[in-house]
Amino acid sequence: MSAIPSDRSPESTLAFLREGYRFVGARCDRLGTDIVQTRLLLEPTICLRGRPAAELFYDNERFVRRGAMPMRAQRTLTGVGGVQGLDGAAHRSRKAMFMSIMTPAAIRHLGQLFDDEWRARIPAWAESGPVVLYDEVGRMLTRAVWAWAGVPLADADVPRRTAEMHAMIEGPAVVGPGHWRGRLGRRRAERWAGEVIERVRAGALPAPEGSALRVVAEYRDERGTLLPRRIAAVELLNVLRPTVAVDRFVVFCALALHDHPHWCDRVRGDDAAAERFVQEVRRYYPFFPLAAARVRRSFEWQGYDFPQGRRVLLDLYGTNHHPELWPEPERFRPERFDGWRGDPFRLVPQGGGDHDTGHRCAGEWITIELMKRAVGNLTGSMSYRVPPQDLALDLGRMPALPPSGLVLDGVRRTA
């Protein structure tokens, strides 16, 4: 049995926080491998990239998620006790709850709500001068997904709720004030969401049939038990927060249209072209960097030993940029998705494997729908200018975003 190629650094956490999305790939490239062992958060960790690695990583017989995600991520991004950290029957039951709200009709409805929000904002943008797209889209998505989920939201509360979602998203991979803002945002959001759940359960707040709020509030686990208030709050936020996080993908869509303006005409009014464009945005641009699991029982794979309990990380960004999977991976080429029929272990910006039984993001179809709606509005509903600004993506920042948030000027309605 071969020893896993190793990063000799005694502790690589600071290097990971500094290098971000490039951390795993840089070590794999240096060692000529797709598997490397390093030390993160004071424990040995196996890092993987590529399609065979993704297929291995999403084998529920070999890996568990319980205890895999660092607590700093659970206390900011996902919440403690959420579906991401479950295994076996508990995970299948909880995941089925999420999948029950992801019907094609429901996804189209959310897309239409976002579309309506966008079109309603165009006159205000035309009057206001420069607008920061990231800020605007975050608030639009907050309004849209709250309405879609059946959760009441006053106009005055939109900035606060959006800021809480952003703080949770940005909190895991930063130290100092940014991390503490994430934890504070998580606590406040869970307290608010718990109160909403309790009001629904007490009959004081009506929730539409089939809405995410009602489904979560009434869900009973595999033992027939209602979720504790705090866990129900975590799961409601696991619908709301990832939807708001799509604002980064929307900014990347606008950035790609700016950098590759010939695609504006290609995608305008062409759903198939928009689909290819959106898939390439999801592949090319940095979103969630890594997924975490632990070895269920010791096993051997490709001549390497995976000891029981070892933390394993799948490099999502590195897999989406692997040259054996994606020729010229650093070129933005939506045409590579001509005839794409999907592959659960090749394109993994939101995880891999099976949606229903595995740990692939339940909201992936929502993401694609919202991105396509954004592309439609950017190319068909409005005209605008992109003034000089800093649009460079720092791959050492997780999650990545252009420093300017992408400023638009001269907005005019065109349709």
PDB file of all heavy atoms in Angstrom, residues 233-244:
ATOM      1  N   ALA A 233     -35.533  25.942  12.762  1.00  0.00           N
ATOM      2  CA  ALA A 233     -35.043  27.250  12.328  1.00  0.00           C
ATOM      3  C   ALA A 233     -33.828  27.089  11.415  1.00  0.00           C
ATOM      4  O   ALA A 233     -33.707  27.770  10.390  1.00  0.00           O
ATOM      5  CB  ALA A 233     -34.683  28.103  13.544  1.00  0.00           C
ATOM      6  N   VAL A 234     -32.921  26.183  11.782  1.00  0.00           N
ATOM      7  CA  VAL A 234     -31.748  25.916  10.948  1.00  0.00           C
ATOM      8  C   VAL A 234     -32.174  25.470   9.553  1.00  0.00           C
ATOM      9  O   VAL A 234     -31.633  25.935   8.536  1.00  0.00           O
ATOM     10  CB  VAL A 234     -30.849  24.855  11.615  1.00  0.00           C
ATOM     11  CG1 VAL A 234     -29.807  24.312  10.630  1.00  0.00           C
ATOM     12  CG2 VAL A 234     -30.154  25.437  12.840  1.00  0.00           C
ATOM     13  N   GLU A 235     -33.156  24.587   9.478  1.00  0.00           N
ATOM     14  CA  GLU A 235     -33.564  24.056   8.179  1.00  0.00           C
ATOM     15  C   GLU A 235     -34.341  25.083   7.350  1.00  0.00           C
ATOM     16  O   GLU A 235     -34.219  25.106   6.120  1.00  0.00           O
ATOM     17  CB  GLU A 235     -34.371  22.775   8.347  1.00  0.00           C
ATOM     18  CG  GLU A 235     -33.612  21.650   9.058  1.00  0.00           C
ATOM     19  CD  GLU A 235     -32.351  21.174   8.340  1.00  0.00           C
ATOM     20  OE1 GLU A 235     -31.637  21.994   7.740  1.00  0.00           O
ATOM     21  OE2 GLU A 235     -32.088  19.957   8.388  1.00  0.00           O
ATOM     22  N   LEU A 236     -35.114  25.933   8.001  1.00  0.00           N
ATOM     23  CA  LEU A 236     -35.754  27.014   7.249  1.00  0.00           C
ATOM     24  C   LEU A 236     -34.688  27.937   6.660  1.00  0.00           C
ATOM     25  O   LEU A 236     -34.773  28.348   5.487  1.00  0.00           O
ATOM     26  CB  LEU A 236     -36.704  27.794   8.152  1.00  0.00           C
ATOM     27  CG  LEU A 236     -37.428  28.977   7.488  1.00  0.00           C
ATOM     28  CD1 LEU A 236     -38.273  28.511   6.302  1.00  0.00           C
ATOM     29  CD2 LEU A 236     -38.306  29.711   8.507  1.00  0.00           C
ATOM     30  N   LEU A 237     -33.671  28.232   7.441  1.00  0.00           N
ATOM     31  CA  LEU A 237     -32.571  29.059   6.930  1.00  0.00           C
ATOM     32  C   LEU A 237     -31.792  28.337   5.841  1.00  0.00           C
ATOM     33  O   LEU A 237     -31.180  28.983   4.984  1.00  0.00           O
ATOM     34  CB  LEU A 237     -31.634  29.455   8.074  1.00  0.00           C
ATOM     35  CG  LEU A 237     -32.238  30.434   9.083  1.00  0.00           C
ATOM     36  CD1 LEU A 237     -31.303  30.613  10.278  1.00  0.00           C
ATOM     37  CD2 LEU A 237     -32.515  31.788   8.426  1.00  0.00           C
ATOM     38  N   ASN A 238     -31.810  27.004   5.839  1.00  0.00           N
ATOM     39  CA  ASN A 238     -31.146  26.246   4.781  1.00  0.00           C
ATOM     40  C   ASN A 238     -31.917  26.294   3.464  1.00  0.00           C
ATOM     41  O   ASN A 238     -31.434  25.784   2.451  1.00  0.00           O
ATOM     42  CB  ASN A 238     -30.934  24.793   5.212  1.00  0.00           C
ATOM     43  CG  ASN A 238     -29.641  24.623   5.978  1.00  0.00           C
ATOM     44  OD1 ASN A 238     -28.681  25.354   5.771  1.00  0.00           O
ATOM     45  ND2 ASN A 238     -29.612  23.649   6.878  1.00  0.00           N
ATOM     46  N   VAL A 239     -33.103  26.878   3.478  1.00  0.00           N
ATOM     47  CA  VAL A 239     -33.813  27.222   2.246  1.00  0.00           C
ATOM     48  C   VAL A 239     -33.512  28.669   1.865  1.00  0.00           C
ATOM     49  O   VAL A 239     -33.204  28.978   0.709  1.00  0.00           O
ATOM     50  CB  VAL A 239     -35.332  27.022   2.400  1.00  0.00           C
ATOM     51  CG1 VAL A 239     -36.078  27.516   1.160  1.00  0.00           C
ATOM     52  CG2 VAL A 239     -35.661  25.570   2.683  1.00  0.00           C
ATOM     53  N   LEU A 240     -33.568  29.561   2.826  1.00  0.00           N
ATOM     54  CA  LEU A 240     -33.449  30.989   2.557  1.00  0.00           C
ATOM     55  C   LEU A 240     -32.012  31.408   2.234  1.00  0.00           C
ATOM     56  O   LEU A 240     -31.761  32.100   1.244  1.00  0.00           O
ATOM     57  CB  LEU A 240     -33.960  31.782   3.765  1.00  0.00           C
ATOM     58  CG  LEU A 240     -35.395  31.486   4.213  1.00  0.00           C
ATOM     59  CD1 LEU A 240     -35.713  32.253   5.486  1.00  0.00           C
ATOM     60  CD2 LEU A 240     -36.400  31.818   3.113  1.00  0.00           C
ATOM     61  N   ARG A 241     -31.069  30.998   3.089  1.00  0.00           N
ATOM     62  CA  ARG A 241     -29.680  31.460   2.941  1.00  0.00           C
ATOM     63  C   ARG A 241     -29.048  31.053   1.613  1.00  0.00           C
ATOM     64  O   ARG A 241     -28.462  31.908   0.925  1.00  0.00           O
ATOM     65  CB  ARG A 241     -28.832  30.952   4.125  1.00  0.00           C
ATOM     66  CG  ARG A 241     -27.337  31.163   3.949  1.00  0.00           C
ATOM     67  CD  ARG A 241     -26.560  30.421   5.010  1.00  0.00           C
ATOM     68  NE  ARG A 241     -26.987  29.044   5.200  1.00  0.00           N
ATOM     69  CZ  ARG A 241     -26.684  28.035   4.388  1.00  0.00           C
ATOM     70  NH1 ARG A 241     -25.945  28.231   3.316  1.00  0.00           N
ATOM     71  NH2 ARG A 241     -27.128  26.813   4.640  1.00  0.00           N
ATOM     72  N   PRO A 242     -29.127  29.757   1.187  1.00  0.00           N
ATOM     73  CA  PRO A 242     -28.493  29.414  -0.085  1.00  0.00           C
ATOM     74  C   PRO A 242     -29.113  30.130  -1.278  1.00  0.00           C
ATOM     75  O   PRO A 242     -28.419  30.355  -2.280  1.00  0.00           O
ATOM     76  CB  PRO A 242     -28.716  27.895  -0.181  1.00  0.00           C
ATOM     77  CG  PRO A 242     -28.981  27.435   1.214  1.00  0.00           C
ATOM     78  CD  PRO A 242     -29.694  28.576   1.862  1.00  0.00           C
ATOM     79  N   THR A 243     -30.386  30.485  -1.185  1.00  0.00           N
ATOM     80  CA  THR A 243     -31.011  31.212  -2.289  1.00  0.00           C
ATOM     81  C   THR A 243     -30.449  32.619  -2.374  1.00  0.00           C
ATOM     82  O   THR A 243     -30.156  33.115  -3.471  1.00  0.00           O
ATOM     83  CB  THR A 243     -32.538  31.235  -2.120  1.00  0.00           C
ATOM     84  OG1 THR A 243     -33.014  29.899  -1.969  1.00  0.00           O
ATOM     85  CG2 THR A 243     -33.205  31.882  -3.323  1.00  0.00           C
ATOM     86  N   VAL A 244     -30.278  33.278  -1.242  1.00  0.00           N
ATOM     87  CA  VAL A 244     -29.657  34.604  -1.247  1.00  0.00           C
ATOM     88  C   VAL A 244     -28.219  34.515  -1.760  1.00  0.00           C
ATOM     89  O   VAL A 244     -27.741  35.415  -2.461  1.00  0.00           O
ATOM     90  CB  VAL A 244     -29.716  35.242   0.159  1.00  0.00           C
ATOM     91  CG1 VAL A 244     -28.964  36.573   0.185  1.00  0.00           C
ATOM     92  CG2 VAL A 244     -31.164  35.443   0.591  1.00  0.00           C
TER      93      VAL A 244
END
